[in-house]
Amino acid sequence: MSGSPTGPLTRPRHLRVLLGVAAVVVLLVVADLAGAFRGRADQADGDAPSALLGEKAPTLAGTTIAGKRYRWRPGKVTVVNIWASWCDPCRDEVPLIARFQRAWSSRGVRVVTIDTRDGIDLAREFLAKVGARHLLAVHDPDGRLAVSWGVTGVPETFVVDAHGVVRAHRIGEVDASWLTDEVSRWA
Amino acid sequence: MGVTDLGRSRLGARLRRLWPYAAGAVALVVLLLVLLPGGGSPSLDERAQDVAGRLRCPTCVAESAADSTSPMAESMRVEIRRQLAAGRSEDRVIAWFRARYGNDIVLDPQRQGVGWLLWVAPPAAGLAVVAGYLVVRRRRPPADEPGASAASPLTAGRLAVALTVAVGAAVVVPLLVVGGSGDGSSASAPAETATPGTSSADPSTAASADPVTRAFTLLRSGRPAAAERLARPVADRTGADRPLALLVLGLAQRAEGEPAARRTLQRFLHRYPHHPAAADVRRLIGAAR
């Protein structure tokens, strides 16, 4: 192991250093790709299924926009819909939810809605306008109830079975067939 | 070899002898910073801010609930503050959110389950490199003996390899492990949402979002081309989600630099002049003029 730095050892040394650097770069690229891949997989899901699926439903209690105290208790299959009068898709969806409530209440299905981050007068006005005054709407002025249900936006809808376990979750507007299918499955 | 060269090589030898200690000291400081909690007793506001900073804003891209101005993040801050004021610990509040939004709501890797690897791996890698260097050094002849200059190239090579392995292990392993397991550390769900004895979630009951919501998500994730593909069919027909579809389509086209963006956004404004986003869209296309 003797000789000057410019001797025959020079090439292996450079080779080794180069190999080392190349390996670091390759590993960083692999790590980056792995990260990007993960990110892409997350995005491709669009919306991850709620962490609440299969879990006990969170508490749902407060004052309704009609001014009455309300506390939800398990016992019946329940559709929980989160909406606000300022949300366009909700304005399209609420009449459907109200119709569904009318049609299914006699079959032992309950519909409870959470009116989140909304002016109480605007909400009342809107329900009156679409003929849905009867809809049970718990007022959630600061969005805390929505957060406790893991909501990311409005509208969102959950179906909770009679034992109080969250069984279905939908981000965005629901249609009549989704509601009927999901509720029939657990009713 | 001149006097200056000799002086330089001695200085170099001394530096080479010192750097492992310096590296060790840096690794130790990093380790302490990571493992030790900060001193003092923070106020409720500071604690709430800290917890919010550790949670992701669910409607944003890479923004914490502390930084975001979105209504959802604001509601999260209200809830965090309320729970802390009621005497809950920071970890319990975070577990509460994780039980509702899933593990992805937590921004920093958890110091439990497999997440601990992300915390431990980098300092461990630093220590491994230092240890490797010391072993190599012990094996080679002292710096002032003949042959030292020939031995050091070998050291550089080994050091590079050791560094590669250490950095690789520190970066790749935790990424793959945490990425692969996903829900690996969900054992800390709070009592009020504990899984009942019934079966776990049936994935088929988790309906996927409608195309427009998905398109919106894609747009926010920086994938306008995919968003455009999803939003276009909905924007071209009448339906309840048409306003949002038009809006997403226009914004996606804009993000891609397509001239059609302006036309689409104007169509949106023409049809839905009172949409909550109309004012922003007007500003947007006004600014682009």
Side-chain angles (χ1 to χ4, degrees):
Chain A
M1 274 262 190
S2 66
S4 71
T6 51
L9 275 171
T10 311
R11 206 192 298 162
R13 178 185 71 172
H14 283 165
L15 253 174
R16 281 197 190 105
V17 173
L18 219 71
L19 265 175
V21 170
V24 170
V25 170
V26 166
L27 280 172
L28 287 178
V29 167
V30 167
D32 192 47
L33 279 179
F37 209 65
R38 270 185 64 208
R40 206 153 301 155
D42 291 348
Q43 287 164 18
D45 284 341
D47 63 290
S50 167
L52 288 171
L53 284 176
E55 305 285 331
K56 228 173 112 190
T59 313
L60 204 179
T63 308
T64 68
I65 59 173
K68 292 185 180 136
R69 294 291 304 164
Y70 178 78
R71 171 173 286 272
W72 169 79
R73 282 193 183 84
K76 284 181 178 180
V77 171
T78 307
V79 172
V80 178
N81 173 257
I82 296 99
W83 64 281
S85 68
W86 45 261
C87 141
D88 260 7
C90 307
R91 295 178 77 92
D92 294 331
E93 189 191 51
V94 164
L96 166 75
I97 301 281
R99 276 199 304 277
F100 183 85
Q101 193 265 330
R102 270 195 219 102
W104 282 76
S105 60
S106 57
R107 286 185 251 180
V109 173
R110 200 184 281 153
V111 174
V112 183
T113 72
I114 299 174
D115 173 36
T116 190
R117 299 187 69 91
D118 204 359
I120 198 158
D121 293 334
L122 288 171
R124 276 186 200 137
E125 237 169 69
F126 165 68
L127 287 189
K129 193 175 147 200
V130 298
R133 252 198 216 108
H134 64 285
L135 200 63
L136 176 61
V138 181
H139 193 220
D140 179 31
D142 53 13
R144 268 182 41 211
L145 264 179
V147 166
S148 77
W149 278 75
V151 166
T152 55
V154 275
E156 281 193 25
T157 305
F158 294 85
V159 174
V160 183
D161 71 15
H163 304 288
V165 177
V166 178
R167 291 304 186 182
H169 174 224
R170 171 100 183 176
I171 292 177
E173 261 178 86
V174 293
D175 51 33
S177 66
W178 185 88
L179 281 174
T180 309
D181 289 352
E182 290 302 335
V183 167
S184 312
R185 194 187 304 219
W186 304 105
Chain B
M1 201 180 259
V3 177
T4 338
D5 286 345
L6 201 66
R8 202 174 293 155
S9 86
R10 271 194 196 145
L11 183 70
R14 202 167 294 164
L15 277 178
R16 270 200 297 275
R17 219 171 294 143
L18 276 177
W19 88 260
Y21 300 108
V26 169
L28 199 68
V29 168
V30 170
L31 200 68
L32 287 176
L33 279 178
V34 166
L35 296 179
L36 291 182
S41 54
S43 68
L44 179 63
D45 282 340
E46 285 169 341
R47 288 172 64 210
Q49 186 70 13
D50 173 58
V51 171
R54 286 160 67 187
L55 295 171
R56 191 187 300 281
C57 154
T59 50
C60 321
V61 175
E63 216 177 351
S64 77
D67 299 329
S68 171
T69 53
S70 81
M72 196 50 66
E74 202 179 295
S75 297
M76 284 172 75
R77 291 194 293 267
V78 170
E79 182 59 24
I80 292 166
R81 226 189 115 83
R82 192 192 66 85
Q83 292 196 18
L84 289 175
R88 281 197 174 192
S89 71
E90 282 90 341
D91 285 346
R92 270 196 76 193
V93 176
I94 286 176
W96 187 90
F97 277 95
R98 201 184 308 129
R100 282 151 175 83
Y101 287 94
N103 285 330
D104 283 351
I105 197 72
V106 184
L107 270 176
D108 58 345
Q110 290 303 294
R111 294 179 212 188
Q112 61 188 46
V114 286
W116 68 271
L117 265 173
L118 284 174
W119 292 93
V120 171
L127 289 175
V129 169
V130 173
Y133 176 83
L134 289 176
V135 169
V136 168
R137 238 181 80 89
R138 193 163 294 173
R139 281 195 193 152
R140 73 160 215 227
D144 46 356
E145 273 178 25
S149 55
S152 65
L154 194 65
T155 309
R158 281 187 191 172
L159 207 62
V161 173
L163 197 69
T164 305
V165 173
V167 170
V171 175
V172 177
V173 172
L175 254 180
L176 293 183
V177 173
V178 174
S181 73
D183 287 10
S185 54
S186 60
S188 54
E192 62 263 52
T193 56
T195 317
T198 53
S199 65
S200 63
D202 170 10
S204 66
T205 61
S208 61
D210 60 287
V212 184
T213 309
R214 286 175 69 93
F216 193 34
T217 310
L218 287 166
L219 178 64
R220 285 187 309 189
S221 328
R223 298 177 64 199
E228 192 183 335
R229 267 198 306 280
L230 269 177
R232 184 180 294 282
V234 189
D236 286 345
R237 58 165 196 256
T238 48
D241 43 3
R242 196 180 179 202
L244 186 61
L246 263 177
L247 179 61
V248 171
L249 178 66
L251 291 175
Q253 288 171 330
R254 191 170 179 274
E256 290 192 292
E258 285 178 31
R262 196 180 171 77
R263 220 166 40 243
T264 309
L265 290 173
Q266 272 167 344
R267 220 166 97 210
F268 165 81
L269 283 178
H270 178 70
R271 301 200 73 107
Y272 310 103
H274 303 299
H275 191 276
D280 285 332
V281 172
R282 262 181 222 110
R283 263 199 301 279
L284 200 66
I285 56 177
R289 206 170 276 156

